[in-house]
């Protein structure tokens, strides 16, 4: 395949495909050894070491030895690169410098404090500082003269704090002192810049130590520091200075556009707002906890006072009724939240107060639900008694007025009910609102709960224009008792339906279930022969209910009928009546409507 | 580099860089001279990098040709063999301005040497060499010109750009690089101007005076790039160890004065005075690297430290590691790096063994920037652990990683040993599975190594061969035997290995804003 026939170039004869799987063989499994000679050389491979260093004596020795080994040479001679010494230090009191202070946590360490957080005052006393401090504590000043101040002893920590203050102040106030030979800061200036962040001792010792600091102060900081460029100057001289290190990198420039600026402003605004919100939240939490604390304190105070009272009672041998003493110690009406917590299953740690009895304190608590039940019962009782009274009152009397105050009692066994008009398994799409007008629909929603209406009212209220042909309103077969001899367009033949809004805005069309006709409003003079119709209603079949829907929704409403339409609210269920009001005068309807509204 | 300035003394173009030879005396020795020096019973050619009078005796800081800089040392004059000829420093190519000055001044000098020798005066030299006294330190060696160029501003590199640090005499040495012209000239003129002002004819001064000069900011007394060629710290004490630094590190210049610099084991702060160090230890509460522990086994722990969040600690770490890493640059700050620090636990705390830094976002796909095992922990297998850990991180990231170049000599050997071990292991395993086929890329995927590194390792071990018209991977007897030997050692000494399941780490995510604001 290669035009170059020499065996020596076999390796390069075909380019190696790094993706192609290669056979892994042992040396003795190699078939052809004729080119063995050619492989007695290690090809020159890029080492990644600088050219100037690659030739270094020791490195070459090691590489050659490795190559020889790779080619099968047996040699026990270990080549290595010699390095300067690292030896155990002699006479180091390691334990003194490094106490056994570390205990390993069981989990991996997580840590974010910085060196500055961990080393205390950066200034550390040198040998000469120690000498001076000794002198100072012997009562002499820097010149060996007796100290005039009345300070006693200066601790090493205070000394370092003061020195550190001097050093930091001078580098802060005179950042270029070493360049422009500025005079050393005066004591007055130092005194001016010291503040509460420094200890009281530091304030006291400022003056005595100042003189010493001035003596020691040179152009460079007393604690040797590395040279770091603070300014963004990059002169060539700086570049060449090997002691300057850790320069700031140039900030990558992002293109400045108006859009970007606006974006940044928006972001900042948002950030500020969010921070403000977070701050408010934290503040409120703090406030809440503060209140909790006050509450606790007050509770405790109350408890203490009661305890004292009990002591008094014991001392004075006042014997109260049974259980009174306990009541003294236990709040009569503790906050109901204690119970609530219990309900969640997480019982908070509660301190049990030994109250003598073996009743748990929570058993003494009055529950809100109990109170409510009590109130409810009381109310019910009152109603019952009132009813009873009324009954007695009306005994042997019949109320013949229109809409009597006391309606005849409902038969409890058969309260009015609603049944779904649709079969449960029929899946018609949610019907459109039965009432085409927007306004009327809104009314439906706002209706409040009431008991189902009487048939009479329904028909009276089912506002229907007189001029409409009745057949439109009459839904044949909707009214089950069709064997009634009355004409089909009779008002009573109209079925009572309602539109109920269910969950998710779904509408249900429902027909009144069988009931005693006029049962609700017995005593009301009715012009219908409702009394005859005692049979049950049947739920309409699907087909019919669909027809009703269509009729109800398709039929255009005549002008001016909104005011007349009577709507019967029943909670979130909007009930309405669809029916023909044959032969009824308009005036009558209005009257009825006015009456029911009162 | 000026193209072909003619030197009346050079006898030829500057491109011919044949060093001039001649006999020297103690009095004529200067910085840049290469002389034969006694080393371990042999004579080695060495370049004088600095001169001092120590205890009244002339002392020379020398770098041995073809030996690593970490073996550079201070030697007494007795070890110099002046019976042999020395090589005078190569002639400088200087711009006209420089040249004029030199020529002017050379008139005032009576010099036995060829005139070009005056072009290398070093005012730092503490020898009573009157010839040099009046000369101006205006010249920069080729090397210093190049290395005084700034590293690229945007790059996140922790290693020096190799192009900037090539030693003289290499292939670039004689090739004019016109694009460098302006920059080099700039440096030259500035240095010259400053030097003309700052360098009076001087008497030899003591080390103390020299330090004082450095301290008072007059770095012009010595060619600045030469400063960094001389180790500045004598010894450091860290924990229970005393360590000889290998290279220059920009610790405060004052420390060049101290015989021993104390480094707090935990915060890595530095002190030139044992009293100060003692006081610091009383206050320092740090017991481990200031970050999150992300790995823990019976022997070691790893901590992840963000350069931006722990600037002081990371700077301290870099200063320390610069003592042992020649190619590390501290030119820029530590913000774009994460530092993975390996520690050993005792009742005293977590003792730093070594670390590697890693760019938060490496355009070149490097998974390690700088890597170092502290000298007191070297030759114990910790380097391999560090390397393995870096690849474990890459595996979690789902990336193939490679260390940033250039590697140091020790770095290269460490990586080669690791690569060899893991590749041989995978191959043997595949062989045992009974499906002895594997592509180079597959190997790389399994080990989170780049294809190139896999390829190089195989080639280097003579394991990639061509047989029966196909490339094959050969598990050579040598490689297998070496692995066996290693295993035997592990059985005796115990095997140190990173257990991936103990690593609790997810690749840190940085926002675009962090990038814009330099991490
Ligand atoms: Zn510390």
């Amino acid at each position: 395949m290669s035009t170059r026939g020499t065996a020596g170039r076999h390796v390069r004869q075909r380019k190696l495909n790094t993706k192609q799987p290669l056979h892994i063989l042992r040396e003795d499994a190699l078939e052809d050894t004729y080119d063995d000679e050619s492989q007695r050389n290690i090809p020159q491979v890029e080492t990644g070491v600088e050219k100037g260093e690659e030739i270094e004596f020791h490195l070459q020795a090691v590489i050659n030895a490795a190559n020889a080994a790779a080619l099968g040479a047996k040699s026990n001679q270990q080549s290595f690169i010699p390095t300067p010494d690292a030896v155990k230090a002699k006479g180091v009191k390691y334990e003194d410098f490094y106490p056994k202070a570390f205990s390993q946590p069981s989990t991996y360490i997580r840590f974010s404090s910085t060196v500055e957080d961990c080393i205390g005052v950066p200034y550390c006393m040198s040998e000469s500082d120690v000498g001076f401090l000794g002198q100072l504590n012997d009562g002499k000043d820097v010149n060996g003269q007796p100290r005039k101040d009345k300070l006693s002893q200066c601790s090493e920590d205070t000394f370092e704090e003061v020195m550190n203050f001097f050093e930091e102040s001078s580098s802060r106030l005179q950042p270029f002192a070493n360049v422009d030979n500025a005079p050393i800061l005066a004591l007055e200036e130092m005194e001016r810049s010291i503040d509460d962040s420094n200890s009281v001792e530091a304030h006291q010792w400022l003056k005595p130590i100042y003189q010493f600091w001035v003596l020691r102060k040179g152009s460079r900081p007393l604690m040797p520091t590395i040279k770091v460029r603070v300014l963004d100057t990059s002169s060539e001289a700086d570049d060449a200075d090997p002691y300057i290190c850790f320069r700031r990198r140039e900030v990558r420039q992002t293109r400045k556009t108006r859009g970007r600026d606006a974006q940044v402003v928006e972001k900042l605004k948002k950030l500020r707002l969010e921070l403000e919100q977070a701050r408010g939240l934290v503040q409120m939490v703090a406030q809440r906890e503060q209140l909790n604390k006050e509450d606790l304190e007050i509770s405790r105070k109350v408890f203490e006072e009661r305890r004292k009272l009990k002591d008094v009672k014991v001392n004075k041998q006042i014997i109260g009724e049974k259980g009174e003493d306990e009541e003294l110690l236990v709040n009569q009406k503790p906050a109901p939240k204690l119970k609530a917590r219990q309900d969640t299953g997480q019982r908070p740690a509660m301190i049990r107060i030994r109250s003598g009895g073996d009743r748990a304190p929570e058993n003494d608590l009055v529950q809100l639900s109990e109170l409510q039940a009590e109130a409810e019962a009381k109310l019910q009782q009152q109603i019952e008694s009132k009813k009873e009274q009324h009954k007695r009152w009306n005994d042997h009397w019949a109320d013949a007025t229109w809409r009597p105050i006391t309606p005849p009692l409902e038969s409890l066994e058969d309260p009015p009910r609603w049944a779904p008009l649709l079969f449960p398994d029929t899946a018609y799409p949610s019907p459109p609102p039965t009432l085409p007008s927007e306004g009327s629909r809104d009314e439906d929603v706002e209706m409040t709960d009431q008991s189902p209406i009487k048939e009479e009212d329904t028909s009276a209220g089912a506002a229907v224009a007189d001029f409409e042909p009745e057949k439109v309103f009459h839904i044949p077969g909707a009214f089950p008792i069709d064997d009634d001899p009355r004409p089909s367009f009779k008002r009573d033949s109209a079925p009572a339906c309602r539109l109920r809004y269910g969950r998710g805005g779904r509408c249900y069309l429902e027909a009144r279930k069988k009931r005693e006709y006029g049962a609700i409003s017995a005593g009301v003079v009715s012009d219908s022969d409702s009394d005859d119709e005692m049979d049950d209603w049947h739920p309409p079949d699907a087909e019919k209910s669909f027809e009703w829907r269509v009729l109800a929704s398709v039929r255009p409403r005549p002008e001016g009928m909104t005011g007349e339409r009577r709507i019967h609210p029943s909670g979130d269920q909007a009930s309405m009546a669809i029916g023909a009001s044959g032969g009824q005068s308009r005036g009558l309807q209005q009257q009825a409507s006015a009456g029911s509204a009162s | 580099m000026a193209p072909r300035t003619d030197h009346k003394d050079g006898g030829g173009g500057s491109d011919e860089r044949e060093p001039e030879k001649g006999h020297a005396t103690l009095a004529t020795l200067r910085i840049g001279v290469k002389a034969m020096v006694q080393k371990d019973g042999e004579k080695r050619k060495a370049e004088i990098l600095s001169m001092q009078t120590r205890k009244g005796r002339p002392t020379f800081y020398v770098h041995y040709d073809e030996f690593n800089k970490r073996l550079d040392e201070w030697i007494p004059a007795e070890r110099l063999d002046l019976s042999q000829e020395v090589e005078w420093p190569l002639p400088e190519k200087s711009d006209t301005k420089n040249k004029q000055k030199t020529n002017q001044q050379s008139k005032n000098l009576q010099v036995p040497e060829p005139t070009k020798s005056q072009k290398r005066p070093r005012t730092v030299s503490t020898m009573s060499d009157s010839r040099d006294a009046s000369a101006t330190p205006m010249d920069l060696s080729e090397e210093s010109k190049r290395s005084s160029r700034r590293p690229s501003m945007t790059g996140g590199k922790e290693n020096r750009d190799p192009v900037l640090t090539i030693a003289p005499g290499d292939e670039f040495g004689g090739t004019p690089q016109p694009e460098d012209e302006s920059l080099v000239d700039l440096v030259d003129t500035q240095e010259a101007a400053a030097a003309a002002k700052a360098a009076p004819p001087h008497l030899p001064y003591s080390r103390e005076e020299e330090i004082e000069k450095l301290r008072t900011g007059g770095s012009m007394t010595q060619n600045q790039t030469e400063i960094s060629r001389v180790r500045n710290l004598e010894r450091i004490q860290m924990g229970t160890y005393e360590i000889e630094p290998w290279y220059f590190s920009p610790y405060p210049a004052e420390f060049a004065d101290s015989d021993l610099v104390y480094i707090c084991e935990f915060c890595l702060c530095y002190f030139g005075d044992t009293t100060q160090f003692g006081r610091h230890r009383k206050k320092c509460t740090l017991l481990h690297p200031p970050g999150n522990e992300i790995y823990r086994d019976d022997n070691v722990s790893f901590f992840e430290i963000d350069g931006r969040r722990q600037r002081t600690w990371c700077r301290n770490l870099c200063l320390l590691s610069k003592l042992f890493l020649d190619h590390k640059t501290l030119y820029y700050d530590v913000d774009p790096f994460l530092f993975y620090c390996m520690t050993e636990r005792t009742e005293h705390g977590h003792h730093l063994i070594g670390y590697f830094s890693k760019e938060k976002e490496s355009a070149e796909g490097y998974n390690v920037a700088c890597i170092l095992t502290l000298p007191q922990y070297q030759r114990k297998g910790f380097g391999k652990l560090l390397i393995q850990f870096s690849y474990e991180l890459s595996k979690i990231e789902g990336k193939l990683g490679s260390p940033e170049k250039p590697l140091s000599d020790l770095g290269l050997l460490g990586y080669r040993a690791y690569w060899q071990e893991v590749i041989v292991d995978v191959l043997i395993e595949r062989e045992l599975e009974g499906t002895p086929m594997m592509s180079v890329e597959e190997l790389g995927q399994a080990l989170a190594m780049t294809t190139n590194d896999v390829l190089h390792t195989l080639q280097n071990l003579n394991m990639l061969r061509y047989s029966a018209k196909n490339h094959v991977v050969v598990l050579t007897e040598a490689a297998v035997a070496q692995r066996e030997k290693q295993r035997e050692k592990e059985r005796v000494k115990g095997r140190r290995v990173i257990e991936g399941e103990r690593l609790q780490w997810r690749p840190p995510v940085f926002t675009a804003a962090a990038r814009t604001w330099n991490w």
Side-chain angles (χ1 to χ4, degrees):
Chain A
M1 61 194 76
S2 168
T3 49
R4 290 177 293 185
T6 43
R9 297 198 183 96
H10 258 247
V11 182
R12 288 176 208 154
Q13 269 180 338
R14 212 171 66 178
K15 275 210 161 178
L16 174 74
N17 181 355
T18 55
K19 286 189 170 64
Q20 187 198 334
L22 308 177
H23 278 280
I24 302 166
L25 302 173
R26 292 283 172 151
E27 220 159 359
D28 45 27
L30 277 181
E31 285 167 26
D32 41 3
T33 49
Y34 69 92
D35 61 345
D36 209 30
E37 209 52 45
S38 72
Q39 300 190 335
R40 287 279 166 220
N41 282 313
I42 303 291
Q44 276 293 308
V45 172
E46 191 67 41
T47 60
V49 173
E50 263 182 31
K51 292 279 171 288
E53 267 177 42
E54 213 170 29
I55 52 155
E56 280 173 1
F57 179 85
H58 290 114
L59 181 59
Q60 279 303 313
V62 177
I63 289 176
N64 290 338
N67 287 352
L71 291 171
K74 297 271 185 291
S75 164
N76 286 328
Q77 206 180 342
Q78 278 259 319
S79 312
F80 68 98
I81 292 177
T83 53
D85 277 348
V87 294
K88 282 271 181 186
K90 285 185 282 288
V92 174
K93 296 192 186 88
Y94 183 78
E95 301 271 334
D96 292 353
F97 285 130
Y98 299 94
K100 290 181 178 171
F102 181 70
S103 63
Q104 170 159 294
S106 56
T107 53
Y108 286 12
I109 292 168
R110 299 186 70 79
F111 193 85
S112 60
S113 302
T114 61
V115 169
E116 287 79 359
D117 296 333
C118 297
I119 59 170
V121 177
Y123 188 86
C124 293
M125 287 169 69
S126 69
E127 205 62 57
S128 67
D129 292 337
V130 172
F132 168 71
L133 187 61
Q135 193 179 325
L136 201 64
N137 284 336
D138 281 348
K140 291 173 195 154
D141 70 8
V142 68
N143 301 315
Q145 302 300 311
R147 251 166 47 206
K148 292 178 189 79
D149 53 71
K150 293 183 179 64
L151 301 165
S152 55
Q153 296 283 298
C154 180
S155 71
E156 291 173 327
D157 290 334
T158 305
F159 178 82
E160 284 180 349
E161 189 188 338
V162 173
M163 289 296 275
N164 195 61
F165 169 73
F166 288 147
E167 288 288 299
E168 277 182 0
S169 306
S170 75
S171 72
R172 193 180 64 244
L173 299 172
Q174 300 180 313
F176 307 110
N178 56 336
V179 180
D180 30 278
N181 276 328
I184 287 175
L185 279 182
L187 179 61
E188 289 71 45
E189 276 178 281
M190 289 293 185
E191 277 169 338
R192 246 189 315 234
S193 57
I194 197 163
D195 57 27
D196 289 344
S197 59
N198 291 96
S199 67
V200 181
E201 290 77 28
H203 283 260
Q204 289 171 340
W205 286 97
L206 200 66
K207 204 172 162 185
I209 297 172
Y210 176 76
Q211 293 169 295
F212 173 74
W213 176 72
V214 169
L215 278 181
R216 279 205 59 195
K217 185 69 187 161
S219 59
R220 298 263 292 154
L222 290 179
M223 292 286 287
T225 52
I226 52 171
K227 279 204 221 173
V228 181
R229 248 333 96 178
V230 248
L231 297 169
D232 269 344
T233 58
S234 52
S235 72
E236 297 287 340
D238 271 6
D239 276 347
D241 186 346
Y243 280 104
I244 295 178
C245 46
F246 304 126
R247 293 162 177 85
R248 304 294 310 149
R249 282 176 169 77
E250 278 151 19
V251 174
R252 278 179 225 190
Q253 289 298 323
T254 46
R255 254 182 353 130
K256 235 174 126 77
T257 62
R258 194 164 298 180
R260 216 186 134 75
D261 280 353
Q263 217 179 344
V264 168
V265 167
E266 272 318 300
K267 270 185 190 164
L268 284 175
K269 274 187 193 162
K270 198 172 162 231
L271 186 68
R272 202 209 129 99
L273 204 70
E274 279 168 7
L275 284 175
E276 195 56 49
Q277 280 169 347
R279 197 185 64 90
L281 221 59
V282 170
Q283 206 169 25
M284 286 193 282
V285 167
Q287 222 163 36
R288 184 192 68 199
E289 292 308 312
Q290 195 60 38
L291 287 174
N292 273 345
K293 189 182 153 219
E294 278 165 25
D295 181 41
L296 269 175
E297 278 165 1
I298 290 166
S299 299
R300 191 185 165 81
K301 230 183 245 170
V302 168
F303 175 80
E304 287 298 331
E305 291 302 320
R306 286 180 179 160
R307 195 184 50 79
K308 276 183 207 155
L309 181 58
K310 190 178 178 182
D311 286 344
V312 171
K313 282 176 86 177
V314 169
N315 288 341
K316 304 286 182 193
Q317 297 196 322
I318 303 167
I319 298 155
E321 283 170 36
K322 203 186 170 197
E324 203 187 60
D325 286 353
E326 283 159 34
E327 281 164 20
L328 262 181
L329 287 178
V330 182
N331 259 344
Q332 296 308 295
K333 286 175 184 173
K337 68 179 174 185
L338 280 176
K339 174 71 182 173
R341 271 195 208 156
Q342 212 180 348
D343 287 344
T344 63
Q346 282 182 320
R347 248 186 85 167
M350 274 196 292
I351 301 160
R352 283 199 169 217
I353 300 162
R354 277 192 80 85
S355 53
D358 48 7
R359 284 189 302 159
E362 57 264 34
N363 290 351
D364 295 336
L365 307 184
V366 179
Q367 309 299 335
L368 179 63
S369 54
E370 285 170 22
L371 282 176
Q372 280 172 335
E374 209 173 285
E376 185 83 8
K378 210 168 175 181
L379 190 70
Q380 210 57 47
Q381 200 189 336
Q382 256 174 6
I383 291 169
E384 287 305 315
S385 71
K386 276 271 153 65
K387 265 186 182 168
E388 199 58 34
Q389 201 185 3
H390 210 84
K391 216 172 172 185
R392 268 196 310 255
W393 208 29
N394 284 344
D395 217 9
H396 310 300
W397 290 88
D399 191 347
T401 55
W402 184 77
R403 285 198 176 241
I405 297 166
T406 317
L409 291 173
E410 292 175 18
S411 65
L412 284 170
E413 310 84 50
D414 194 13
R417 278 169 302 186
W418 294 96
L421 203 55
L422 287 172
F423 292 116
D425 54 342
T426 23
Y428 286 117
S430 287
T434 336
L435 301 170
S437 128
E438 193 68 41
S440 54
R441 225 191 123 191
D442 289 344
E443 269 176 88
D444 291 347
V445 179
E446 284 155 24
M447 286 172 203
T448 48
D449 203 354
Q450 271 189 7
S451 43
I453 46 152
K454 298 178 296 180
E455 205 60 32
E456 258 167 77
D457 289 345
T458 307
S459 41
V464 171
D466 308 1
F467 336 102
E468 284 288 325
E470 276 159 4
K471 58 178 177 178
V472 178
F473 292 92
H474 175 66
I475 297 166
F479 203 64
I481 314 147
D482 241 358
D483 51 347
D484 188 85
R486 288 168 301 169
S488 62
F489 47 84
K490 208 178 164 195
R491 163 185 72 118
D492 292 321
S493 65
C497 306
R498 66 172 182 179
L499 183 68
R500 181 164 63 84
Y501 287 103
R503 226 174 279 171
R506 290 167 72 174
C507 302
Y508 297 95
L509 185 61
E510 290 176 340
R512 168 74 52 81
K513 226 182 173 177
K514 168 247 153 180
R515 65 166 305 129
E516 282 175 23
Y517 203 59
I520 305 170
S521 54
V524 175
V525 183
S526 167
D527 56 345
S528 77
D529 33 7
S530 55
D531 290 351
D532 313 333
E533 302 166 8
M534 302 304 274
D535 290 340
D536 286 357
W537 290 36
H538 298 287
D541 61 42
E543 249 173 75
K544 270 173 188 153
S545 80
F546 186 65
E547 280 168 28
W548 296 350
R549 285 164 196 281
V550 174
L551 281 170
S553 59
V554 165
R555 202 186 121 250
R557 284 172 77 90
E559 223 42 4
M561 69 160 293
T562 23
E564 297 151 5
R565 192 174 48 90
R566 176 96 198 293
I567 290 143
H568 304 273
S570 63
D572 61 333
Q573 309 170 331
S575 64
M576 63 159 293
I578 302 169
S581 54
Q584 252 200 324
S585 81
R586 216 185 158 108
L588 238 169
Q589 282 176 31
Q590 274 167 341
Q591 200 185 11
S593 137
S596 83
S598 61
Chain B
M1 221 177 286
R4 285 202 175 265
T5 34
D6 56 323
H7 282 255
K8 54 179 177 190
D9 46 274
S14 56
D15 290 343
E16 295 167 26
R17 301 177 63 82
E18 274 299 309
E20 191 147 345
K21 292 192 176 184
H23 281 282
T25 63
L26 268 187
T28 58
L29 282 175
R30 295 183 318 279
I31 286 171
V33 168
K34 288 185 178 178
M36 297 306 281
V37 176
Q38 284 276 357
K39 182 183 187 295
D40 306 323
E42 285 177 74
K43 293 254 168 63
R44 299 273 179 196
K45 188 156 66 167
E47 183 185 356
I48 298 173
L49 299 179
S50 186
M51 301 190 285
Q52 274 182 11
T53 308
R54 289 184 164 191
K55 291 170 188 165
R57 301 169 67 83
T59 316
F60 301 84
Y61 191 81
V62 294
H63 167 71
Y64 299 101
D65 257 16
E66 297 190 359
F67 283 86
N68 192 277
K69 275 205 262 172
R70 69 174 76 87
L71 299 181
D72 293 359
E73 58 183 346
W74 289 98
I75 55 159
E78 293 80 66
R79 278 175 60 185
L80 286 165
D81 182 3
L82 295 181
S83 64
Q84 296 192 45
E85 286 189 326
V86 300
E87 284 177 20
W88 298 106
L90 287 168
E92 299 302 325
K93 284 132 305 212
S94 43
D95 57 27
T96 37
K97 206 172 167 185
N98 253 344
K99 212 170 172 183
Q100 278 168 5
K101 261 190 191 139
T102 314
N103 292 342
Q104 273 172 11
Q105 261 161 4
S106 63
K107 286 173 195 158
N108 306 329
L109 301 167
Q110 38 99 249
V111 213
E113 314 302 332
T115 41
K116 60 181 171 182
S117 63
Q118 283 139 38
K119 291 181 177 176
R120 267 211 163 268
R122 305 290 179 216
T123 51
V124 71
S125 97
T126 55
M127 302 301 295
S128 50
D129 182 355
S130 57
R131 286 183 315 102
D132 281 356
S134 54
T136 49
M138 61 184 63
D139 302 328
L140 293 169
S141 67
E142 291 295 333
E143 183 186 18
S144 53
K145 279 179 197 168
R146 245 181 265 113
S147 47
S148 64
R149 280 170 43 189
R150 306 188 197 192
S152 76
M153 292 299 268
T154 46
K157 300 276 86 47
E158 265 225 295
N159 289 310
R160 282 207 315 255
D161 188 339
V163 183
L164 299 179
T165 52
I166 291 159
D170 62 64
E171 65 205 75
F172 289 102
T175 319
Q177 288 172 299
E179 68 270 23
D180 292 344
E181 277 281 304
S182 56
L183 190 67
V184 173
D185 286 352
L186 246 179
V187 175
D188 265 359
T189 39
Q190 199 193 16
E191 292 269 320
K197 231 178 17 180
H202 61 82
L203 296 165
Y205 30 67
S206 68
R207 185 173 161 84
E208 285 66 38
E209 287 172 308
E210 195 181 301
I211 299 300
E212 189 50 41
K213 272 190 164 285
L214 281 178
R215 189 179 291 164
T216 50
S219 50
M220 291 306 170
T221 51
Q222 183 172 12
N223 184 322
Q224 288 177 321
T225 42
E226 263 173 17
I227 294 175
S228 59
R229 294 186 73 190
V230 180
R231 212 163 27 227
N232 56 332
L233 301 193
E234 197 72 7
R235 284 178 92 75
I236 61 165
Q237 189 196 78
M238 191 179 169
T240 54
Y241 293 93
E242 252 178 48
I243 306 148
E244 265 183 49
W246 300 359
Y247 310 106
F248 173 88
S249 176
Y251 276 105
E254 289 91 332
F255 286 176
D257 241 351
S258 310
D259 291 332
L260 194 59
V261 169
Y262 301 84
I263 290 170
C264 174
E265 247 197 310
F266 299 124
C267 69
L268 309 181
C269 288
Y270 33 86
F271 304 89
D273 177 326
T274 180
T275 314
Q276 287 184 329
F277 174 62
R279 280 295 300 167
H280 166 77
R281 281 305 309 153
K282 289 247 159 19
K283 294 183 283 185
C284 179
T285 58
L286 212 55
L287 294 171
H288 52 76
N292 291 343
E293 192 179 11
I294 56 170
Y295 177 86
R296 182 192 289 178
D297 64 24
D298 295 339
N299 303 308
V300 298
S301 285
F302 270 88
F303 288 81
E304 181 182 59
I305 322 282
D306 185 331
R308 182 171 181 76
R309 293 189 184 194
Q310 296 289 349
R311 199 172 279 157
T312 305
W313 196 86
C314 294
R315 283 176 172 182
N316 289 350
L317 178 63
C318 285
L319 284 169
L320 177 67
S321 64
K322 181 68 191 77
L323 290 172
F324 311 106
L325 294 172
D326 192 17
H327 298 287
K328 189 177 174 57
T329 172
L330 303 187
Y331 193 91
Y332 283 125
D333 216 340
V334 291
D335 294 30
F337 294 94
L338 290 165
F339 296 81
Y340 294 92
C341 305
M342 183 164 69
T343 61
E344 180 190 54
R345 293 180 300 275
T346 69
E347 295 160 289
H348 302 278
H350 281 260
H351 310 271
L352 186 68
I353 295 171
Y355 83 103
F356 63 88
S357 55
K358 176 171 178 164
E359 278 179 277
K360 288 173 180 172
E361 204 179 61
S362 171
E364 295 90 344
Y366 294 135
N367 66 351
V368 162
C370 281
I371 183 163
L372 172 76
T373 308
L374 288 173
Q376 62 267 40
Y377 289 101
Q378 285 176 4
R379 299 185 199 289
K380 292 183 170 72
F382 286 119
K384 205 192 281 174
L385 276 189
L386 280 172
I387 294 171
Q388 196 198 339
F389 195 84
S390 72
Y391 281 106
E392 292 294 333
L393 296 187
S394 291
K395 281 178 195 170
I396 293 178
E397 288 176 312
K399 291 178 183 167
L400 305 183
S402 187
E404 189 180 313
K405 315 294 178 305
L407 291 169
S408 68
D409 49 357
L410 292 171
L412 173 71
L413 298 186
Y415 267 101
R416 281 195 171 172
Y418 171 78
W419 289 335
Q420 174 176 352
E421 182 181 321
V422 291
I423 286 177
V424 169
D425 274 355
V426 168
L427 291 175
I428 289 177
E429 196 181 311
R430 183 54 66 99
E431 195 185 40
L432 289 176
E433 282 169 8
T435 50
M437 295 280 281
M438 205 163 191
S439 72
V440 173
E441 282 189 12
E442 206 182 333
L443 257 171
Q445 293 285 350
L447 299 166
M449 282 173 63
T450 58
T451 308
N452 218 22
D453 286 343
V454 174
L455 217 50
H456 280 181
T457 307
L458 289 175
Q459 281 182 298
N460 206 45
L461 293 170
N462 196 24
M463 287 169 68
L464 200 61
R465 299 209 201 163
Y466 197 73
S467 170
K469 292 176 181 172
N470 272 310
H471 287 284
V472 292
V473 175
V474 181
L475 270 168
T476 61
E477 283 160 27
V480 174
Q482 212 166 340
R483 189 71 192 100
E484 277 307 311
K485 213 167 123 188
Q486 233 168 2
R487 287 232 171 96
E488 191 55 43
K489 229 186 207 171
E490 284 167 1
R491 270 191 286 277
V492 178
K493 288 187 174 177
R495 179 173 159 82
R496 279 212 182 106
V497 70
I498 297 296
E499 297 159 61
E501 66 277 5
R502 290 176 186 263
L503 179 55
Q504 293 182 3
W505 185 77
R506 261 187 293 169
V509 180
F510 299 95
T511 60
R515 235 163 280 141
T516 310
W517 298 99
N518 287 313
W519 315 97

